[in-house]
Amino acid sequence: MTQSTEATIWPIGVRLFNRPDYAEQLLYSLKKQTLEISDQSLHFIIDGYLGSLDELRGRPDHTQRVANLIGTYFPEARIEQCATNLGIAQTTFILQSQVFSLPNAEWAIFLEEDIVLAPEYIEALHHMITLADDVSEVVKVAANQINLNYIQMPPKSDRRNFYLGQGTQAFAERREFFDKRKSLTEIYLSVISGRQYSDRDESEVFATLAEHGVFTIMGNNDAVHDRITMALHGLHVVTSQKLLTDIGVAGETSYSYPAIPLPDTEISKVLETTKSDLLDALEHLKMEAHIFEHKFFKDFWGGYLASVSGTLAFRVLRRKALKLFKR
């Protein structure tokens, strides 16, 4: 693979765990990027084995092997190994806090362990950051995970280049937005603290975040941060050209992301997009975000009416309506 001589501008944070097979595939794909990545730009965190479900289930501790793999591929990269298992959400937040504390981190890139990047993935994120840098509404960019709402509400046939995304798999985020959402993230972390990821109380997550204007029916890290992004009116922008492969089959949530057909799936080339392309898409993105939020709350209302509380409330409202009618 021929690499460009341009050094990576933005720092990259990578979260790993007890999966050396995942780690090696990701590290190899990072080494093969078209945009040269310096060791000093890379910051790894390895979640601890002690107290993890892997330990509970009797799986071997391979965390030191994961650290050794990092040293093989990127010997001067920064590595933090957690003494105990903190979980996905906490280790991600620690990593992001550390990376965004760097002086050159107006944007930063974050990667999960169970992916293989196409050779141009990091270059594509840098390109999208350049296009979005002075477009304040755009707070995250990625080249994967199209918003699932497009399945039911597909974009018009003339839509091109940029769409709404979701998830935290492999994305770049604006530091200013991280600072804005930080307190909400800390509230979420306080709710799930002391619990295994699979044992989180999703109703408590919902109730606590709802008090702060964030409504989520799922308590996992991805969903919560998607909902925080929407609540703070940020745009998570992706391209229809997917530039990574999801290899995850083990862990708490093994989910196969569905293919979402878009008008330009076969012809999209993110590195050929321009600032004008992003600005042309901006009003569509804002409108789609509004439509998706409107649908979310309509669906939420329907779920509430089907609940015990909703049924009781509906009966009260019906009695009041009947009294008014009789008058």
Side-chain angles (χ1 to χ4, degrees):
M1 178 62 62
T2 302
Q3 296 180 321
S4 74
T5 57
E6 181 183 356
T8 300
I9 300 170
W10 306 114
I12 302 172
V14 185
R15 183 185 59 78
L16 301 172
F17 177 46
N18 193 37
R19 311 275 189 265
D21 50 339
Y22 288 176
E24 183 150 30
Q25 291 181 77
L26 172 59
L27 292 167
Y28 182 81
S29 70
L30 271 172
K31 201 70 176 177
K32 296 297 182 179
Q33 291 297 297
T34 55
L35 188 64
E36 184 178 354
I37 299 173
S38 69
D39 287 22
Q40 292 76 16
S41 70
L42 284 163
H43 306 262
F44 293 90
I45 188 168
I46 305 172
D47 202 0
Y49 175 79
L50 292 177
S52 69
L53 281 180
D54 274 16
E55 182 186 35
L56 181 65
R57 293 167 178 169
R59 293 172 180 161
D61 180 0
H62 294 303
T63 51
Q64 186 55 51
R65 183 178 163 197
V66 170
N68 293 342
L69 283 168
I70 297 170
T72 299
Y73 283 92
F74 301 99
E76 296 181 41
R78 181 182 181 280
I79 305 172
E80 177 173 354
Q81 291 183 254
C82 301
T84 61
N85 187 262
L86 302 177
I88 294 170
Q90 185 67 50
T91 50
T92 298
F93 183 70
I94 291 170
L95 179 66
Q96 291 174 334
S97 298
Q98 291 174 345
V99 171
F100 278 124
S101 70
L102 299 171
N104 62 334
E106 285 78 19
W107 287 83
I109 295 167
F110 298 99
L111 308 174
E112 296 188 348
E113 67 176 358
D114 52 352
I115 54 175
V116 174
L117 305 176
E120 64 269 39
Y121 196 92
I122 301 299
E123 184 179 0
L125 289 193
H126 278 74
H127 176 73
M128 293 178 74
I129 290 169
T130 299
L131 300 185
D133 196 34
D134 63 352
V135 183
S136 60
E137 297 95 331
V138 179
V139 300
K140 296 180 182 180
V141 296
N144 68 301
Q145 289 194 327
I146 303 295
N147 195 294
L148 291 173
N149 281 288
Y150 285 121
I151 294 176
Q152 291 183 308
M153 292 176 283
K156 294 181 179 179
S157 60
D158 60 350
R159 285 279 275 114
R160 294 290 183 272
N161 299 309
F162 299 110
Y163 302 87
L164 294 176
Q166 61 186 73
T168 59
Q169 198 174 51
F171 69 101
E173 183 173 9
R174 193 188 294 270
R175 174 163 59 188
E176 183 180 3
F177 183 72
F178 173 78
D179 291 340
K180 187 176 181 181
R181 71 166 173 86
K182 187 174 181 179
S183 62
L184 290 169
T185 305
E186 289 173 331
I187 290 167
Y188 166 59
L189 292 174
S190 70
V191 177
I192 64 172
S193 177
R195 289 177 174 267
Q196 286 287 350
Y197 191 69
S198 58
D199 190 40
R200 62 191 179 275
D201 186 343
E202 295 191 348
S203 65
E204 187 62 28
V205 171
F206 169 81
T208 304
L209 288 177
E211 294 178 39
H212 298 273
V214 178
F215 296 87
T216 177
I217 57 173
M218 296 177 67
N220 61 301
N221 192 57
D222 279 23
V224 167
H225 285 95
D226 288 338
R227 296 305 307 155
I228 289 175
T229 300
M230 296 299 278
L232 296 178
H233 307 292
L235 295 177
H236 180 172
V237 177
V238 298
T239 171
S240 57
Q241 184 186 14
K242 185 178 179 182
L243 293 174
L244 64 74
T245 302
D246 187 337
I247 59 172
V249 294
E252 298 293 346
T253 54
S254 300
Y255 174 68
S256 180
Y257 209 81
I260 302 175
L262 298 171
D264 60 337
T265 298
E266 300 301 322
I267 60 173
S268 177
K269 301 291 182 184
V270 61
L271 290 172
E272 296 176 7
T273 56
T274 66
K275 181 65 169 288
S276 295
D277 292 329
L278 178 61
L279 294 178
D280 288 345
L282 193 60
E283 290 307 312
H284 294 287
L285 294 166
K286 291 179 184 178
M287 179 58 68
E288 287 165 349
H290 169 73
I291 291 170
F292 292 171
E293 277 294 88
H294 192 74
K295 180 182 182 299
F296 174 86
F297 283 108
K298 286 186 72 173
D299 290 347
F300 184 81
W301 174 249
Y304 170 71
L305 289 180
S307 70
V308 173
S309 297
T311 301
L312 293 173
F314 179 75
R315 288 174 184 171
V316 171
L317 290 173
R318 195 173 88 169
R319 284 198 297 269
K320 288 183 177 179
L322 288 173
K323 286 181 181 179
L324 290 172
F325 181 76
K326 289 179 180 177
R327 289 178 183 174

